[in-house]
Amino acid sequence: MSGLAVLPGLGLVLAQMTPGFRRFVILVVVLLGVSVVLTVVSRVKQGPLAHRAGILNRYLLLSLLSLIVLFPIYMTVVNSLLAPDVIARRPPTLFPTDPTWNTYREAWTDGHLNRYVFNSFLVTLLIVAGQVITSVFAAYAFAFLEFPLKRTIFVVFLTTMMVPFEVTFLTNVKTVSAFRDIPVLGSIAGYDSYGALVVPFLATGFGAFLIRQSFMSLPKDLRDAAALDGYGHWRFMTRVAVPLARPAIAAMALFSFFGAWNQYLWPLVVTKDDRLRTVQIGLRQLSRVSIDKFNVTFAGTVLAALPLFVLLVVFQKQLVRGLTAGAVKG
Amino acid sequence: MSRRTREALLGYALVLPSLLIFGTFVFYPFFKNFVLATQKTPPFPNLPKRYVGFDQIREVVGSWEFSNSIKVTLIFAALTVPIGIVLGLLLATLAHQRLAGITIYRTVFSSTVATSVAVSSVIFFTFLNPQIGLVNYWFGRTGALSPLDDPKWALAAVAGVTIWQNLGLSFILMSSGLQAVPDELLEAARVDGAGSWSRFRNVTIPLLSPTLFFAAVIGGIMAFQSFGQIDFLTEGGPPRDRTNVLVYAIYRATFKQSNEGKAAVLAIALFVITLVLTLVQMRFVERRVTYER
């Protein structure tokens, strides 16, 4: 019975829809229907025509889903190019005929996006560099050196992965606030400073673990051979181990870049000065403007998203590796 | 100094930087939570804290706000995780074939990994805006509240934003899972006369189950840690805390209510939940490894 009750409910939703959107929904449903028919045809019938129908069908489905996934991004770009009164007009404008590009300039300078993007890049690069260095160091110690309590310390590293930052941030805010009373540390990493945005993230258990795995997979004789050639640990690490572990390090660096760039909670609670805000928090401010400034907000959103989109397109393979490393290693 | 001592010293020197950071920003605040949880925060900042033992923990855990937060977070997870996995699997299955130009579609499907919490929140903040947003217009709700301010829809709307934002990650996870399914097995099933649905149901899904399980646990952990979209879109509202997820409750207790004791109890609860999810995940992986041997 409840299954049947869904139908009139759907009908009601459909009836309430704006005509243009209803047409769109019906079009999508029809296209999906066509796709099902094409699938059946290409299964039942043999021969070149059915084969071509099958291929056409795949493209149809893929393109339809791509449009749906991309639609929110597309509309953001379109709206960033429209005048505020055009954005509010109904039916909505789906293609900008008279684009106004100065929204981007306005978001960049008046909206302080230039400052926010600079801050995000600075903070992110410092975090990535710091994480790579501390992780490589620790991973090297775990993989190539013998010292008392090594296993215990390694377990300590792994334990940190079980404590989410959301559990510790309330005390961490007080810690960096307390830093302010300490002479040098206060100006480097006290509350409301670049350092405060960076310091808590300068080491990760995950990074050390990932790079250690990669170091361990190197042949055991490698270290002995290098030692015979007179390589000390430092030279072996920088000239042999790190270059050979480059794929893992790149994956880890990219992973930490995304994490650092997307940070939201910590930058929100540890900075007050607008000049220190990162892009994410800057967008929060930019979205709290009046409706007649929303095209600037959209332009700011596009600018804020652009760096990661470029990284995604250029480094897709490494990124996938980094994101799935946890899945493979378990 | 002997060679062994030198090696040990080098080892300690290399792990020291990480340990300093962990000590200051992971372990100290972690244990501090337990101290704070037993101390009542005074109503005025300069009064001394009062030791109350387990009273505060009992009080917070028994409160309506706590059970509501847990309920809201569980509903949020129940909405985002299964739908996210199914959509990711659907896209991954479609993109897992040899076709000219398939990499373009793959890039499109993974594109939302490049949208941060803030970016996807602005995008949907405006979509859901009652004056200029398309959602109210499309669904004939002109003049109505934004779904974000509507107690009936707020959580679902935030969940929808989250599903879209995490779609790229879900797609990437599912794609790599599918790539690990050996072609020979699928080919053998085909030779044995299995149709495409049967192959998907009886070969792909069982072999994909570790990936599905991993995605479910990670999704659950992510749902319990979500904060950005709530802060951006609803600030825990509309009235009656309809979207007051656990992390938002911690944030509010710390910065809006200045009640550290309560925030610490909530943080411990978050840790326990994350720990349980992680242990379930590790347990499963262990069993899988022994099974394979």
Side-chain angles (χ1 to χ4, degrees):
Chain A
M1 280 311 281
S2 61
L4 284 178
V6 170
L7 283 177
L10 277 181
L12 196 68
V13 171
L14 215 57
Q16 275 180 354
M17 281 176 186
T18 314
F21 187 60
R22 194 185 307 136
R23 274 200 294 277
F24 171 75
V25 170
I26 291 171
L27 179 72
V28 169
V29 172
V30 167
L31 281 176
L32 285 176
V34 169
S35 155
V36 169
V37 170
L38 282 175
T39 311
V40 173
V41 166
S42 64
R43 282 284 138 69
V44 176
K45 295 220 166 143
Q46 303 283 325
L49 198 68
H51 179 70
R52 221 173 286 165
I55 289 185
L56 181 72
N57 178 36
R58 289 173 196 179
Y59 280 116
L60 184 73
L61 267 179
L62 286 167
S63 306
L64 197 64
L65 289 167
S66 297
L67 287 181
I68 294 174
V69 170
L70 283 184
F71 183 74
I73 298 171
Y74 173 76
M75 277 314 286
T76 306
V77 176
V78 168
N79 283 341
S80 72
L81 299 171
L82 298 175
D85 58 310
V86 182
I87 295 180
R89 211 177 281 163
R90 294 291 175 261
T93 314
L94 296 178
F95 189 80
T97 42
D98 182 23
T100 51
W101 293 96
N102 62 353
T103 48
Y104 282 87
R105 215 189 44 229
E106 212 174 309
W108 187 249
T109 51
D110 303 344
H112 304 301
L113 245 295
N114 47 7
R115 184 80 198 203
Y116 301 146
V117 169
F118 170 78
N119 289 346
S120 272
F121 265 114
L122 180 69
V123 168
T124 302
L125 290 177
L126 288 174
I127 290 178
V128 172
Q131 285 189 0
V132 167
I133 292 171
T134 56
S135 299
V136 165
F137 279 6
Y140 187 86
F142 290 133
F144 293 109
L145 301 175
E146 282 309 324
F147 50 95
L149 292 177
K150 185 166 100 164
R151 286 198 64 85
T152 317
I153 297 175
F154 185 59
V155 171
V156 167
F157 269 64
L158 294 184
T159 326
T160 62
M161 287 198 260
M162 296 199 184
V163 184
F165 193 73
E166 288 76 6
V167 170
T168 53
F169 78 95
L170 60 134
T171 299
N172 286 342
V173 174
K174 293 209 311 196
T175 304
V176 292
S177 299
F179 280 176
R180 285 182 88 161
D181 302 330
I182 304 168
V184 180
L185 202 58
S187 51
I188 300 174
Y191 178 86
D192 225 4
S193 71
Y194 281 120
L197 289 165
V198 171
V199 170
F201 308 103
L202 285 181
T204 87
F206 174 70
F209 174 74
L210 200 68
I211 297 172
R212 171 187 171 267
Q213 297 293 96
S214 175
F215 281 163
M216 303 267 271
S217 69
L218 301 178
K220 287 220 158 47
D221 316 337
L222 211 57
R223 172 70 199 122
D224 303 332
L228 282 181
D229 283 346
Y231 275 44
H233 281 292
W234 181 257
R235 245 204 316 170
F236 178 67
M237 177 167 77
T238 52
R239 302 264 178 89
V240 182
V242 167
L244 286 175
R246 219 163 32 201
I249 295 172
M252 181 241 148
L254 214 57
F255 184 76
S256 84
F257 190 102
F258 269 65
W261 182 272
N262 288 341
Q263 266 186 21
Y264 188 91
L265 177 59
W266 184 245
L268 179 70
V269 298
V270 88
T271 56
K272 215 163 51 192
D273 189 345
D274 188 58
R275 287 170 304 173
L276 289 171
R277 291 299 202 187
T278 60
V279 142
Q280 314 300 338
I281 311 303
L283 275 187
R284 185 182 191 252
Q285 256 119 288
L286 212 58
S287 74
R288 302 288 197 258
V289 296
S290 63
I291 296 235
D292 59 347
K293 279 270 183 235
F294 256 42
N295 51 355
V296 177
T297 308
F298 285 120
T301 310
V302 174
L303 290 173
L306 218 49
L308 288 198
F309 271 104
V310 172
L311 276 187
L312 172 73
V313 172
V314 178
F315 293 110
Q316 202 175 1
K317 238 167 89 188
Q318 286 87 341
L319 183 70
V320 168
R321 214 187 120 104
L323 288 176
T324 52
V328 179
K329 297 271 154 44
Chain B
M1 244 191 306
S2 78
R3 214 189 63 103
R4 288 188 57 170
T5 325
R6 277 217 317 263
E7 185 174 318
L9 283 178
L10 180 63
Y12 293 129
L14 290 178
V15 293
L16 189 66
S18 297
L19 285 179
L20 278 177
I21 300 285
F22 294 152
T24 317
F25 293 105
V26 180
F27 294 111
Y28 163 69
F30 175 75
F31 290 113
K32 187 75 193 266
N33 277 336
F34 292 91
V35 176
L36 291 173
T38 58
Q39 292 173 345
K40 196 93 181 160
T41 311
F44 302 103
N46 291 323
L47 296 174
K49 287 177 181 162
R50 193 158 51 85
Y51 177 80
V52 293
F54 282 93
D55 286 2
Q56 180 164 244
I57 298 176
R58 226 172 285 138
E59 188 188 310
V60 172
V61 171
S63 68
W64 177 84
E65 196 189 344
F66 179 77
S67 51
N68 176 70
S69 264
I70 297 288
K71 197 180 85 186
V72 164
T73 317
L74 282 174
I75 298 174
F76 182 74
L79 285 173
T80 51
V81 178
I83 299 178
I85 290 178
V86 169
L87 290 180
L89 184 57
L90 173 76
L91 295 182
T93 313
L94 281 171
H96 186 65
Q97 44 190 345
R98 275 189 209 92
L99 270 183
I102 194 71
T103 43
I104 297 171
Y105 291 106
R106 285 202 188 123
T107 308
V108 168
F109 292 156
S110 36
S111 65
T112 71
V113 289
T115 60
S116 65
V117 163
V119 166
S120 33
S121 294
V122 196
I123 292 178
F124 283 90
F125 187 63
T126 44
F127 263 96
L128 297 166
N129 181 294
Q131 279 132 61
I132 64 165
L134 291 177
V135 171
N136 271 4
Y137 166 71
W138 281 344
F139 290 94
R141 286 166 51 98
T142 324
L145 284 174
S146 158
L148 293 170
D149 298 322
D150 185 335
K152 222 168 76 189
W153 288 106
L155 191 56
V158 178
V161 178
T162 309
I163 291 169
W164 182 79
Q165 195 216 329
N166 292 339
L167 193 58
L169 180 62
S170 179
F171 168 77
I172 289 175
L173 277 181
M174 294 302 145
S175 293
S176 68
L178 284 180
Q179 262 148 35
V181 175
D183 286 338
E184 307 90 72
L185 276 183
L186 290 168
E187 187 54 29
R190 203 180 66 82
V191 170
D192 286 347
S196 55
W197 172 251
S198 163
R199 264 176 293 161
F200 182 72
R201 174 74 194 77
N202 298 317
V203 180
T204 307
I205 291 289
L207 286 171
L208 208 58
S209 60
T211 309
L212 293 172
F213 189 79
F214 175 80
V217 172
I218 291 294
I221 292 176
M222 277 167 65
F224 266 91
Q225 291 173 1
S226 33
F227 168 79
Q229 60 273 59
I230 309 292
D231 174 66
F232 210 111
L233 296 170
T234 63
E235 303 195 352
R240 310 247 342 129
D241 293 354
R242 285 296 170 118
T243 60
N244 189 24
V245 294
L246 197 49
V247 176
Y248 197 80
I250 301 175
Y251 169 77
R252 201 158 69 170
T254 317
F255 295 101
K256 307 241 156 123
Q257 303 163 340
S258 309
N259 189 344
E260 275 179 357
K262 181 173 153 192
V265 177
L266 295 173
I268 293 170
L270 175 66
F271 169 72
V272 171
I273 293 167
T274 315
L275 183 69
V276 169
L277 284 171
T278 315
L279 290 180
V280 168
Q281 147 90 358
M282 278 165 44
R283 203 49 190 276
F284 181 83
V285 171
E286 246 165 48
R287 202 162 354 129
R288 178 162 59 96
V289 171
T290 46
Y291 171 76
E292 275 170 2
R293 280 171 192 164

